[in-house]
Amino acid sequence: MSMMLSSITLLLCACCVVTGSAAACPPPPEVLPDIPGWTVVREQVVYDSSTLWEAIDGAADLFVSYGVLDMHMDYYSSTGGPEVRAEVYRHDSPEAAFGIFSQERSPDNTHVTIGTTAVMDEGMLNILCGEYYVKLS
């Protein structure tokens, strides 16, 4: 596993511990919390369905068609590690979140047991957790 994937996995595990979302995926108290050992590199930005194109131009229409309500985005770094972009998409239902997750996964991705389901590949980890779709890259 590369250093970046190791860092992403550690960040995700810390998110799950901080938010309590590792098991049943309840809504987190903070969408992108402070994580011990990690520094927030940029100020968190929140997009809704009318502004999502500013962050993911070209893919926003697909996310909107799958009921995205908002997306929180932040960047984290750890000492000596890479910068990790965290995107947390909240959808209007778990089924809608699964829809976009299924559109973005590839048969070549490696399945991992995190949240409801997750896939990873070099430099990315995508997690489905209830009505949340989380992308770490």
Side-chain angles (χ1 to χ4, degrees):
M1 183 180 291
S2 73
M3 183 176 182
M4 177 148 187
L5 280 179
S6 297
S7 297
I8 289 172
T9 302
L10 288 173
L11 175 64
L12 174 67
C13 291
C15 282
C16 290
V17 168
V18 170
T19 65
S21 63
C25 304
E30 298 177 48
V31 175
L32 289 166
D34 290 332
I35 300 168
W38 290 83
T39 303
V40 174
V41 179
R42 305 176 194 181
E43 186 172 328
Q44 185 177 148
V45 181
V46 180
Y47 300 92
D48 63 24
S49 60
S50 67
T51 59
L52 190 59
W53 63 270
E54 295 172 17
I56 57 167
D57 191 22
D61 288 342
L62 183 62
F63 276 78
V64 169
S65 73
Y66 279 101
V68 71
L69 300 174
D70 53 47
M71 185 265 277
H72 293 247
M73 182 171 59
D74 217 337
Y75 292 80
Y76 293 87
S77 69
S78 64
T79 305
E83 185 173 283
V84 176
R85 176 175 164 154
E87 303 169 28
V88 178
Y89 297 86
R90 184 173 58 101
H91 293 265
D92 58 13
S93 70
E95 294 80 13
F98 175 76
I100 193 66
F101 172 84
S102 67
Q103 289 292 312
E104 293 205 321
R105 69 183 174 185
S106 164
D108 297 331
N109 294 148
T110 302
H111 180 268
V112 290
T113 308
I114 301 172
T116 304
T117 189
V119 293
M120 68 179 198
D121 206 335
E122 184 67 32
M124 70 81 147
L125 177 62
N126 293 350
I127 306 109
L128 176 65
C129 195
E131 71 267 18
Y132 293 92
Y133 175 43
V134 180
K135 296 175 67 170
L136 300 174
S137 59

